[in-house]
Amino acid sequence: MTTVPYLDLAAQYAAIRDEIDGAIAAVIDASAFVRGPFVDEFERVFATAIGARHFLGTGNGTDALFVALKMLGMAPGDEVITAANSWISSAECISLCGATPVFADIDLDTHTIDPEDVAAKVTPRTRAIIPVHLFGQAADMGALTRIAEKHDLLVVEDCAQAHLATTGGQIVGTIGDAGAFSFYPGKNLGAYGDAGGIATDDVDLDARMRMFADHGSDPTTKHDHRMEGINSRLDGLQAALLAAKLRHLKDWTALRQSRARLYDGLLAGVGDVVTPRVRDGNDHVYHIYCIRTAKRDELRDHLHRRGIATGIHYPTALPFLRAYEHLGGRPEDYPVAHRYQGEILSLPIYPELSDEDVRRVADAISDFFASTRA
Ligand SMILES: *Cc1c(COP(=O)(O)O)cnc(C)c1O
C-alpha cells in the first residue's frame, strides 16, 4: 500500500482536466500533429517565459542536448566535460556526436558539477562544458563561465530538471550558448509523452538546429535537404498541453519550494540527515528533494514499509556505469560522486503533495532514527 507516492501526475491532471482536454481537442480538430501552429505557439511562449530569443521544440530532452552539441560542431577527437552525477543523457549526447565524455566530480554541498574539477579536466581537446542544473538547482555558472571564457569553451546547459530556476537573477538555459530542456512527464513541466527543446540567443545556431532536427531540411521549402539530420520534432499534442501547463508553472514551482521549506524545517537535526543546500544567489526549483544519510538503504526500506515511495538519483554515478567502463573511471577519481551514490535519497515532492503528507514522510524519518539510535 502506497500512502505517499513519489509523484502523482493523476492529481495534477484532475486539477486542470478541462484545460488539458481542451488543448488536446484543439490539436485533433486542426489535425496539427507534428510541428505546426501549436508547436510554434509553445516555442514562442516558452522562449518568453525563460527570456530566451529562440526556442526549438524537439522529440525529447536527450535529443535537445545532442542536437545542440552536434550543431555547435562537436565531433570525434573532441572532449566535452560533464557532471559525474546525472542522468545518462548528459553524457550520451557527447558520445552520440562521436566526441568523448570527460566526467568532473560534483561539489559537496549542491551535488552540481564542481568547477575546480572541471578546470583540472580541461585539455587541449576540450571543446565544451555541460553544466547540469541537477535536482532543480543551477550549477555554479559564474565559475564555469570563467573557465569557459579562459579556455574558449562552449557551454550547453542541461536544464532538464530546472525549468525556471535562476542563478544571480538569470534564468537557466539563457546563460550558456544553448540550454536543453526535457518535458518528460515527471519533469517540473511535463508532457504526456516524450518532449524536449533547446533555448538559444544565437539565431544562426537556432536555424541550424531546426534544420538538423527535421531531417536537415530547409523549414520553408519541403524536400530541400541541405544535409542529413535526424527526426526529432515536437508534436502538436505535447506542445498544446505544455502551453496549457506552462501557465501554471510559476505557481507549481512556488508550491514545490514551500514543500521543500517544510521538509527543511522538519528534518533539521534528525539523525544524520543532510537536507539540500542552496548556493547563494540560486533559486532552487526542487525537481528532486534529495537528502543524504549514511543509513540510506535502511531508511529507504523503512519508508517503503510505511507506504512512502522514494527514489535514488542516481544509484550509480555515470563514471561507474557499465556503459562508461571503457573510460576507466575509478572511485578515487570521483570521490564525492562515489560516496554520495550510497547516501542519497529522493523524497516525494510535487505541487499536489499536501503539507500533511510532508509531515507524514518527515515523521516516518524521525521514527526511523529514534528507533535505530545506538
Ligand atoms: C530527464 C533528463 C534528461 C533527458 O531528458 P529526456 O526527455 O528523458 O530525454 C537529460 N538530463 C537530465 C539531467 C535529465 O534529468
Side-chain angles (χ1 to χ4, degrees):
M1 180 199 59
T2 301
T3 57
V4 186
Y6 184 69
L7 186 65
D8 191 354
L9 293 176
Q12 189 192 63
Y13 175 56
I16 56 167
R17 184 186 295 263
D18 291 348
E19 290 163 70
I20 296 292
D21 291 358
I24 291 171
V27 176
I28 297 174
D29 281 342
S31 298
F33 296 116
V34 177
R35 291 212 55 89
F38 295 94
V39 174
D40 293 344
E41 175 63 8
F42 175 66
E43 289 179 344
R44 194 183 64 74
V45 293
F46 193 76
T48 303
I50 64 170
R53 288 223 177 93
H54 307 282
F55 189 75
L56 163 66
T58 59
N60 57 68
T62 309
D63 284 354
L65 285 163
F66 167 59
V67 168
L69 284 181
K70 181 85 179 171
M71 291 301 99
L72 284 167
M74 292 314 119
D78 295 337
E79 293 174 359
V80 178
I81 302 176
T82 191
N85 185 29
S86 186
W87 178 242
I88 191 169
S89 306
S90 313
E92 274 176 329
C93 58
I94 301 165
S95 313
L96 284 168
C97 295
T100 305
V102 173
F103 298 108
D105 205 358
I106 53 171
D107 93 352
L108 283 162
D109 283 340
T110 65
H111 305 219
T112 56
I113 190 167
D114 176 6
E116 268 184 45
D117 202 34
V118 171
K121 298 280 165 70
V122 172
T123 75
R125 289 170 177 264
T126 309
R127 293 277 321 278
I129 307 173
I130 302 181
V132 182
H133 305 310
L134 196 73
F135 303 155
Q137 156 151 245
D140 187 349
M141 293 306 291
L144 294 167
T145 302
R146 282 192 293 279
I147 295 166
E149 280 169 0
K150 181 168 169 202
H151 299 281
D152 200 16
L153 308 176
L154 296 159
V155 175
V156 175
E157 296 172 70
D158 183 339
C159 310
Q161 302 186 356
H163 315 75
L164 303 188
T166 66
T167 182
Q170 279 185 291
I171 303 189
V172 303
T174 64
I175 305 166
D177 296 281
F181 287 83
S182 168
F183 306 113
Y184 181 77
K187 298 287 160 82
N188 287 22
L189 179 61
Y192 287 178
D194 276 311
I198 315 155
T200 185
D201 283 346
D202 179 340
V203 64
D204 295 326
L205 176 61
D206 180 64
R208 291 200 301 281
M209 294 192 299
R210 265 171 209 282
M211 214 180 272
F212 181 71
D214 193 7
H215 298 290
S217 132
D218 184 323
T220 56
T221 55
K222 218 177 176 178
H223 301 302
D224 180 14
H225 300 275
R226 309 261 185 98
M227 59 182 176
E228 281 187 323
I230 63 170
N231 176 4
S232 185
R233 301 173 297 217
L234 183 58
D235 72 71
L237 288 169
Q238 305 307 341
L241 66 89
L242 284 168
K245 282 189 170 195
L246 180 59
R247 293 192 272 275
H248 298 277
L249 187 57
K250 267 195 186 151
D251 292 343
W252 287 340
T253 302
L255 287 167
R256 285 177 182 275
Q257 291 168 333
S258 89
R259 302 300 173 263
R261 277 193 298 274
L262 189 55
Y263 272 132
D264 287 346
L266 294 169
L267 294 175
V270 172
D272 68 344
V273 169
V274 181
T275 53
R277 304 234 172 102
V278 183
R279 185 179 297 109
D280 279 351
N282 275 7
D283 198 27
H284 194 320
V285 298
Y286 295 99
H287 173 58
I288 287 170
Y289 188 90
C290 177
I291 63 168
R292 287 196 295 116
T293 164
K295 298 206 173 74
R296 194 270 311 277
D297 292 336
E298 298 95 308
L299 174 61
R300 185 169 207 227
D301 290 345
H302 168 86
L303 293 176
H304 289 194
R305 279 195 299 276
R306 295 251 187 133
I308 295 164
T310 61
I312 299 175
H313 301 93
Y314 295 90
T316 306
L318 296 175
F320 315 126
L321 288 172
R322 274 200 281 172
Y324 296 113
E325 222 166 42
H326 60 284
L327 298 175
R330 301 164 304 173
E332 58 268 35
D333 300 329
Y334 310 97
V336 184
H338 187 259
R339 177 176 149 209
Y340 281 12
Q341 69 181 15
E343 298 183 350
I344 49 180
L345 187 66
S346 309
L347 304 181
I349 190 160
Y350 41 92
E352 300 76 18
L353 185 73
S354 66
D355 283 2
E356 195 192 353
D357 283 339
V358 172
R359 285 179 206 288
R360 193 173 303 157
V361 176
D363 286 347
I365 295 172
S366 297
D367 290 351
F368 168 79
F369 284 101
S371 67
T372 59
R373 206 165 26 223

CSV table of all heavy atoms in Angstrom, one decimal, residues 59-65 86-90 132-134 158-161 181-184 187 194-196 287-288 314, ligand 1:
chain,number,residue,atom,x,y,z
A,59,GLY,N,12.0,16.2,-30.0
A,59,GLY,CA,11.3,15.0,-29.6
A,59,GLY,C,11.5,14.6,-28.1
A,59,GLY,O,10.6,14.0,-27.5
A,60,ASN,N,12.6,15.0,-27.5
A,60,ASN,CA,12.9,14.7,-26.1
A,60,ASN,C,14.1,15.5,-25.6
A,60,ASN,O,14.7,16.2,-26.5
A,60,ASN,CB,13.1,13.2,-25.9
A,60,ASN,CG,14.2,12.7,-26.8
A,60,ASN,OD1,15.4,13.0,-26.6
A,60,ASN,ND2,13.9,11.9,-27.8
A,61,GLY,N,14.4,15.4,-24.4
A,61,GLY,CA,15.5,16.2,-23.8
A,61,GLY,C,16.9,15.7,-24.2
A,61,GLY,O,17.8,16.5,-24.3
A,62,THR,N,17.0,14.4,-24.4
A,62,THR,CA,18.3,13.8,-24.8
A,62,THR,C,18.6,14.3,-26.2
A,62,THR,O,19.8,14.7,-26.5
A,62,THR,CB,18.2,12.3,-24.8
A,62,THR,OG1,17.6,11.8,-23.6
A,62,THR,CG2,19.5,11.6,-25.1
A,63,ASP,N,17.6,14.3,-27.1
A,63,ASP,CA,17.9,14.9,-28.5
A,63,ASP,C,18.2,16.4,-28.4
A,63,ASP,O,19.0,16.9,-29.2
A,63,ASP,CB,16.6,14.7,-29.3
A,63,ASP,CG,16.5,13.3,-29.8
A,63,ASP,OD1,17.4,12.4,-29.6
A,63,ASP,OD2,15.4,13.0,-30.5
A,64,ALA,N,17.6,17.1,-27.5
A,64,ALA,CA,17.8,18.5,-27.3
A,64,ALA,C,19.3,18.7,-27.1
A,64,ALA,O,20.0,19.6,-27.7
A,64,ALA,CB,17.0,19.1,-26.2
A,65,LEU,N,19.9,18.0,-26.1
A,65,LEU,CA,21.3,18.1,-25.8
A,65,LEU,C,22.2,17.7,-27.0
A,65,LEU,O,23.1,18.4,-27.4
A,65,LEU,CB,21.7,17.1,-24.6
A,65,LEU,CG,21.2,17.6,-23.3
A,65,LEU,CD1,21.3,16.4,-22.3
A,65,LEU,CD2,22.1,18.7,-22.7
A,86,SER,N,24.5,12.5,-12.9
A,86,SER,CA,23.4,13.0,-13.7
A,86,SER,C,22.7,11.8,-14.3
A,86,SER,O,23.2,10.7,-14.1
A,86,SER,CB,23.9,13.9,-14.8
A,86,SER,OG,22.8,14.5,-15.5
A,87,TRP,N,21.6,12.1,-15.0
A,87,TRP,CA,21.0,11.1,-15.8
A,87,TRP,C,21.9,10.9,-17.0
A,87,TRP,O,22.7,11.8,-17.4
A,87,TRP,CB,19.6,11.6,-16.3
A,87,TRP,CG,18.9,10.7,-17.2
A,87,TRP,CD1,18.5,11.0,-18.5
A,87,TRP,CD2,18.4,9.4,-16.9
A,87,TRP,NE1,17.8,10.0,-19.0
A,87,TRP,CE2,17.7,9.0,-18.1
A,87,TRP,CE3,18.5,8.6,-15.8
A,87,TRP,CZ2,17.1,7.7,-18.2
A,87,TRP,CZ3,17.9,7.3,-15.9
A,87,TRP,CH2,17.2,6.9,-17.1
A,88,ILE,N,21.9,9.7,-17.6
A,88,ILE,CA,22.9,9.3,-18.6
A,88,ILE,C,22.9,10.2,-19.9
A,88,ILE,O,23.9,10.3,-20.6
A,88,ILE,CB,22.7,7.8,-19.0
A,88,ILE,CG1,23.9,7.3,-19.9
A,88,ILE,CG2,21.4,7.6,-19.7
A,88,ILE,CD1,24.0,5.8,-20.1
A,89,SER,N,21.8,10.9,-20.1
A,89,SER,CA,21.7,11.7,-21.3
A,89,SER,C,22.8,12.8,-21.3
A,89,SER,O,23.2,13.2,-22.4
A,89,SER,CB,20.3,12.5,-21.3
A,89,SER,OG,19.3,11.6,-21.2
A,90,SER,N,23.2,13.3,-20.1
A,90,SER,CA,24.2,14.3,-20.0
A,90,SER,C,25.5,13.9,-20.6
A,90,SER,O,26.4,14.7,-20.8
A,90,SER,CB,24.4,14.8,-18.6
A,90,SER,OG,23.1,15.0,-17.9
A,132,VAL,N,25.1,20.7,-15.5
A,132,VAL,CA,23.8,20.1,-15.3
A,132,VAL,C,23.2,20.8,-14.0
A,132,VAL,O,23.8,20.8,-13.0
A,132,VAL,CB,23.9,18.6,-15.0
A,132,VAL,CG1,22.6,17.9,-14.8
A,132,VAL,CG2,24.7,17.9,-16.1
A,133,HIS,N,22.0,21.3,-14.2
A,133,HIS,CA,21.4,22.0,-13.1
A,133,HIS,C,20.6,21.0,-12.3
A,133,HIS,O,19.4,20.9,-12.4
A,133,HIS,CB,20.5,23.1,-13.6
A,133,HIS,CG,21.2,24.1,-14.5
A,133,HIS,ND1,22.4,24.7,-14.1
A,133,HIS,CD2,21.0,24.6,-15.7
A,133,HIS,CE1,22.8,25.5,-15.0
A,133,HIS,NE2,22.0,25.5,-16.0
A,134,LEU,N,21.4,20.2,-11.6
A,134,LEU,CA,20.8,18.9,-11.0
A,134,LEU,C,19.8,19.2,-9.9
A,134,LEU,O,20.0,20.1,-9.1
A,134,LEU,CB,22.0,18.1,-10.5
A,134,LEU,CG,21.7,16.6,-10.1
A,134,LEU,CD1,21.6,15.8,-11.4
A,134,LEU,CD2,22.8,16.0,-9.3
A,158,ASP,N,22.4,21.8,-19.2
A,158,ASP,CA,21.4,20.7,-19.1
A,158,ASP,C,20.3,21.2,-18.1
A,158,ASP,O,20.6,21.1,-16.9
A,158,ASP,CB,22.0,19.4,-18.7
A,158,ASP,CG,21.0,18.3,-18.7
A,158,ASP,OD1,19.8,18.5,-18.6
A,158,ASP,OD2,21.4,17.1,-18.7
A,159,CYS,N,19.2,21.7,-18.6
A,159,CYS,CA,18.1,22.3,-17.8
A,159,CYS,C,17.0,21.3,-17.6
A,159,CYS,O,15.9,21.7,-17.2
A,159,CYS,CB,17.6,23.5,-18.5
A,159,CYS,SG,18.9,24.7,-19.0
A,160,ALA,N,17.2,20.0,-17.8
A,160,ALA,CA,16.1,19.1,-17.8
A,160,ALA,C,15.4,19.0,-16.5
A,160,ALA,O,14.2,18.7,-16.4
A,160,ALA,CB,16.6,17.7,-18.2
A,161,GLN,N,16.1,19.4,-15.4
A,161,GLN,CA,15.4,19.3,-14.1
A,161,GLN,C,15.2,20.7,-13.5
A,161,GLN,O,14.9,20.8,-12.3
A,161,GLN,CB,16.3,18.5,-13.1
A,161,GLN,CG,16.6,17.1,-13.6
A,161,GLN,CD,17.4,16.2,-12.6
A,161,GLN,OE1,17.8,16.7,-11.6
A,161,GLN,NE2,17.6,15.0,-13.0
A,181,PHE,N,16.3,21.5,-22.6
A,181,PHE,CA,15.2,21.1,-21.7
A,181,PHE,C,14.6,19.8,-22.0
A,181,PHE,O,14.5,19.4,-23.2
A,181,PHE,CB,14.1,22.2,-21.7
A,181,PHE,CG,14.5,23.5,-21.1
A,181,PHE,CD1,15.3,24.4,-21.8
A,181,PHE,CD2,14.2,23.8,-19.8
A,181,PHE,CE1,15.7,25.6,-21.3
A,181,PHE,CE2,14.6,25.0,-19.2
A,181,PHE,CZ,15.3,26.0,-20.0
A,182,SER,N,14.1,19.1,-21.0
A,182,SER,CA,13.3,17.9,-21.1
A,182,SER,C,11.9,18.2,-20.6
A,182,SER,O,11.7,18.9,-19.6
A,182,SER,CB,13.8,16.8,-20.3
A,182,SER,OG,12.9,15.7,-20.3
A,183,PHE,N,10.9,17.7,-21.3
A,183,PHE,CA,9.5,17.8,-20.8
A,183,PHE,C,8.9,16.4,-20.6
A,183,PHE,O,7.8,16.1,-20.8
A,183,PHE,CB,8.6,18.6,-21.8
A,183,PHE,CG,9.1,20.0,-22.1
A,183,PHE,CD1,9.6,20.3,-23.4
A,183,PHE,CD2,9.2,20.9,-21.1
A,183,PHE,CE1,10.1,21.6,-23.7
A,183,PHE,CE2,9.8,22.2,-21.4
A,183,PHE,CZ,10.2,22.5,-22.7
A,184,TYR,N,9.8,15.5,-20.2
A,184,TYR,CA,9.4,14.1,-19.9
A,184,TYR,C,8.3,14.3,-18.8
A,184,TYR,O,8.3,15.2,-18.0
A,184,TYR,CB,10.7,13.4,-19.3
A,184,TYR,CG,10.4,12.0,-18.9
A,184,TYR,CD1,10.3,11.0,-19.8
A,184,TYR,CD2,10.3,11.7,-17.5
A,184,TYR,CE1,10.1,9.7,-19.4
A,184,TYR,CE2,10.0,10.4,-17.1
A,184,TYR,CZ,10.0,9.4,-18.1
A,184,TYR,OH,9.7,8.1,-17.7
A,187,LYS,N,8.9,15.6,-15.2
A,187,LYS,CA,9.7,16.8,-15.0
A,187,LYS,C,8.8,18.0,-14.5
A,187,LYS,O,7.6,17.9,-14.6
A,187,LYS,CB,10.4,17.2,-16.3
A,187,LYS,CG,11.4,16.1,-16.8
A,187,LYS,CD,12.7,16.1,-16.0
A,187,LYS,CE,13.4,14.8,-16.1
A,187,LYS,NZ,14.3,14.7,-17.3
A,194,ASP,N,7.0,11.8,-24.6
A,194,ASP,CA,8.3,12.4,-24.7
A,194,ASP,C,8.3,13.8,-25.3
A,194,ASP,O,7.5,14.0,-26.3
A,194,ASP,CB,9.3,11.5,-25.5
A,194,ASP,CG,9.9,10.4,-24.6
A,194,ASP,OD1,10.4,10.8,-23.6
A,194,ASP,OD2,9.9,9.3,-25.1
A,195,ALA,N,9.1,14.7,-24.9
A,195,ALA,CA,9.2,16.1,-25.5
A,195,ALA,C,10.4,16.8,-24.9
A,195,ALA,O,10.8,16.5,-23.7
A,195,ALA,CB,7.9,16.9,-25.2
A,196,GLY,N,11.0,17.7,-25.6
A,196,GLY,CA,12.1,18.5,-25.1
A,196,GLY,C,12.3,19.7,-26.0
A,196,GLY,O,11.4,20.0,-26.8
A,287,HIS,N,13.1,20.0,-8.5
A,287,HIS,CA,12.6,18.9,-9.2
A,287,HIS,C,12.7,17.6,-8.3
A,287,HIS,O,11.8,16.7,-8.3
A,287,HIS,CB,13.4,18.7,-10.5
A,287,HIS,CG,13.0,17.4,-11.2
A,287,HIS,ND1,11.7,17.2,-11.6
A,287,HIS,CD2,13.8,16.4,-11.6
A,287,HIS,CE1,11.7,16.0,-12.2
A,287,HIS,NE2,12.9,15.5,-12.2
A,288,ILE,N,13.8,17.6,-7.6
A,288,ILE,CA,14.1,16.5,-6.7
A,288,ILE,C,14.5,17.1,-5.3
A,288,ILE,O,15.2,18.0,-5.3
A,288,ILE,CB,15.2,15.6,-7.3
A,288,ILE,CG1,14.7,14.8,-8.5
A,288,ILE,CG2,15.8,14.7,-6.2
A,288,ILE,CD1,15.8,14.1,-9.3
A,314,TYR,N,21.5,9.4,-8.5
A,314,TYR,CA,21.3,8.2,-9.2
A,314,TYR,C,22.1,7.1,-8.4
A,314,TYR,O,23.1,7.4,-7.9
A,314,TYR,CB,21.7,8.3,-10.6
A,314,TYR,CG,20.8,9.3,-11.3
A,314,TYR,CD1,21.1,10.7,-11.4
A,314,TYR,CD2,19.6,8.9,-11.9
A,314,TYR,CE1,20.3,11.6,-12.0
A,314,TYR,CE2,18.7,9.8,-12.5
A,314,TYR,CZ,19.1,11.2,-12.5
A,314,TYR,OH,18.2,12.1,-13.1
B,1,LIG,C1,15.4,13.8,-17.9
B,1,LIG,C2,16.8,14.3,-18.1
B,1,LIG,C3,17.4,14.3,-19.4
B,1,LIG,C4,16.8,13.7,-20.6
B,1,LIG,O1,15.5,14.1,-21.0
B,1,LIG,P1,14.6,13.1,-21.8
B,1,LIG,O2,13.5,14.0,-22.2
B,1,LIG,O3,14.2,12.0,-20.9
B,1,LIG,O4,15.3,12.6,-23.0
B,1,LIG,C5,18.6,14.9,-19.5
B,1,LIG,N1,19.3,15.3,-18.5
B,1,LIG,C6,18.8,15.2,-17.2
B,1,LIG,C7,19.6,15.7,-16.1
B,1,LIG,C8,17.5,14.7,-17.0
B,1,LIG,O5,17.0,14.6,-15.8
